[in-house]
Amino acid sequence: MTDINEKELLALEAEYCSYGDTVHYIEPAKIFESCEGTWLYDTAGRPYLDMQMWYSAVNFGYRNQEIEEPHNRQLKRLPQLACQYLHKEKILLAAKIARETEKRFGMKGRVHFNVGGAQAIEDSMKLIRNFRGGKSLMFAFMGGYHGRTLGCSEITSSYRYRRRYGHFGSRASFIPYPYCYRCFYGLKRESCGYECVNQFEKLFETEYYGVLDPKAGEAEFAAFYVEPLQATGGYIAPPPEYFAKLDKILKRYNILLVDDEIQMGFYRTGKLWALEHFGVKPDIVTFAKSLTNGLNPLSGVWAKEEMIKPEVFPPGSTHSTFSSNPLGTAAGLATMEYIDRHDLETSVKETTDWGWHCG
Ligand SMILES: Cc1ncc(COP(=O)(O)O)c(C=O)c1O
């Protein structure tokens, strides 16, 4: 920062920047100048350890050269291209994610790109509504976070994200997350008998609980949005059998399982997809953030073939100018290649304790 000092910058911010897209957790807000590894540096060169790694957008470290260099080569060769045309990085990245997902969940599927996590969630809602004949009601977890567009705010539990804006579509039905340390039902994990699952199952017991038409055998709800480990809600791991039990109920009533991996994906928990820990198969996976190690806001949705094949979800179903942009897909491909070169499953296991058996 050569020709303007920090005080002048903060004065400009106070006058010209919306405060709606930021939160100043300290005053005056910190201005950063550079980054490297797990460190951020302020304008005086003072290092700060980033305990959050940009909300998990930089799982593989700031300025990771194995990802940055392929991105920079793309910048020099083909940095811009309208999405109606093809470039090899888009195709290779989609194929790589689809094949890796098939390896893990045993299902064929396809990948649809967009920019930003919330937009991937929006696209997933369109895939669901399209596949389920316009059904728009969703289940989601208390404490869950799926983004801040109007649509995403409907399936994110906190009312404070909706309070100023009213409703846009259908507010989700929020179900207690299995946070055993602060159990919603006040029970202890050792003796609870999975009361949270029992209570969810009870909703389907009679038509008067407002979820199921037993005569038609059809639930009013199209899908359940889950974060396998709750991220923004507090980095909470569920008990190991929870998702298998939940999934049984969802399968029985033909409710789709949407696995939001936007924050917990890409080896945050030692697996490509955090849901792999629990032995259940999702119908949809959403991802963003560390897909490009934070170099580009590329995001995406993987959906099983029957939901996303072109006969069901035709060309141009939903689209954005920057959706499969060449810089993002080049960084995404470099991230997937980085993952292939490093045994992250072992290193994360050695350095992380998720407390699988609860507090
Ligand atoms: C689980 C989850 N889903 C969706 C989002 C929204 O992503 P974005 O902030 O890129 O819109 C986030 C962001 O923190 C997230 O953690």
Side-chain angles (χ1 to χ4, degrees):
M1 227 174 291
T2 48
D3 50 1
I4 185 160
N5 67 35
E6 213 167 302
K7 213 168 148 201
E8 289 166 329
L9 273 172
L10 288 171
L12 284 178
E13 196 234 8
E15 191 170 354
Y16 294 114
C17 292
S18 162
Y19 279 26
D21 65 0
T22 186
V23 181
H24 289 183
Y25 288 107
I26 50 166
E27 290 295 347
K30 198 94 217 128
I31 297 179
F32 286 99
E33 187 74 350
S34 61
C35 56
E36 191 76 46
T38 51
W39 298 91
L40 294 168
Y41 298 88
D42 69 10
T43 50
R46 195 177 304 124
Y48 294 79
L49 181 63
D50 188 345
M51 306 286 284
Q52 240 193 354
M53 296 308 286
W54 191 2
Y55 319 123
S56 203
V58 201
N59 285 354
F60 313 112
Y62 289 111
R63 311 283 328 271
N64 183 321
Q65 290 306 298
E66 288 179 68
I67 300 168
E68 200 174 291
E69 276 171 15
H71 168 273
N72 293 350
R73 283 198 296 277
Q74 188 75 29
L75 184 64
K76 296 281 176 226
R77 192 171 53 78
L78 179 71
Q80 297 126 315
L81 187 70
C83 297
Q84 76 205 75
Y85 306 119
L86 289 173
H87 59 285
K88 77 172 179 231
E89 291 75 16
K90 173 200 170 159
I91 300 169
L92 292 177
L93 179 59
K96 177 72 176 162
I97 293 171
R99 284 175 173 162
E100 292 297 328
T101 304
E102 187 174 350
K103 251 192 239 168
R104 286 153 171 89
F105 297 131
M107 286 181 291
K108 266 195 109 50
R110 293 169 192 254
V111 170
H112 178 106
F113 291 110
N114 207 327
V115 181
Q119 287 72 10
I121 296 284
E122 292 278 346
D123 289 349
S124 71
M125 291 198 265
K126 287 187 182 173
L127 276 157
I128 292 164
R129 287 177 179 216
N130 180 58
F131 186 61
R132 283 282 187 255
K135 248 182 207 169
S136 59
L137 293 189
M138 310 290 170
F139 288 113
F141 281 127
M142 294 179 188
Y145 184 89
H146 301 286
R148 297 285 281 271
T149 58
L150 286 169
C152 292
S153 299
E154 298 286 14
I155 59 166
T156 292
S157 66
S158 297
Y159 169 49
R160 94 185 151 85
Y161 300 147
R162 288 184 295 274
R163 188 174 62 83
R164 294 167 187 280
Y165 314 114
H167 282 274
F168 183 78
S170 327
R171 179 187 181 278
S173 179
F174 295 108
I175 303 298
Y177 185 78
Y179 184 7
C180 302
Y181 185 65
R182 292 194 172 88
C183 174
F184 185 79
Y185 299 101
L187 301 173
K188 290 270 171 261
R189 174 65 205 97
E190 309 74 61
S191 53
C192 71
Y194 280 93
E195 184 61 12
C196 50
V197 179
N198 301 339
Q199 289 291 331
F200 181 64
E201 191 167 25
K202 213 168 152 67
L203 289 176
F204 298 86
E205 209 173 81
T206 147
E207 70 173 279
Y208 304 112
Y209 295 159
V211 163
L212 184 76
D213 177 347
K215 292 203 178 78
E218 195 178 306
E220 196 173 11
F221 286 72
F224 197 138
Y225 273 77
V226 310
E227 291 169 88
L229 284 85
Q230 211 159 59
T232 304
Y235 271 62
I236 306 162
E241 304 87 15
Y242 175 82
F243 277 111
K245 290 179 185 296
L246 181 79
D247 190 49
K248 248 192 209 161
I249 302 167
L250 300 182
K251 293 276 177 310
R252 194 184 308 148
Y253 298 111
N254 209 17
I255 296 168
L256 299 165
L257 177 63
V258 185
D259 176 20
D260 183 349
E261 297 278 355
I262 288 168
Q263 191 160 164
M264 285 296 171
F266 297 102
Y267 287 88
R268 191 72 187 178
T269 71
K271 302 274 188 195
L272 178 62
W273 305 135
L275 196 68
E276 292 171 52
H277 291 289
F278 305 110
V280 297
K281 298 173 181 195
D283 298 291
I284 289 185
V285 181
T286 57
F287 46 89
K289 295 190 192 266
S290 275
L291 166 62
T292 65
N293 198 37
L295 278 183
N296 184 282
L298 189 73
S299 65
V301 182
W302 171 93
K304 62 184 183 181
E305 180 69 3
E306 60 190 291
M307 295 184 74
I308 200 171
K309 61 188 176 189
E311 300 84 333
V312 173
F313 201 61
S317 288
T318 186
H319 173 256
S320 160
T321 302
F322 286 88
S323 55
S324 56
N325 75 86
L327 289 174
T329 50
L333 198 54
T335 301
M336 295 305 286
E337 286 166 1
Y338 176 86
I339 287 169
D340 280 346
R341 280 194 297 275
H342 298 267
D343 183 4
L344 298 165
E345 185 150 348
T346 303
S347 62
V348 173
K349 210 181 278 169
E350 281 168 2
T351 53
T352 315
D353 176 9
W354 275 104
W356 291 109
H357 301 291
C358 311

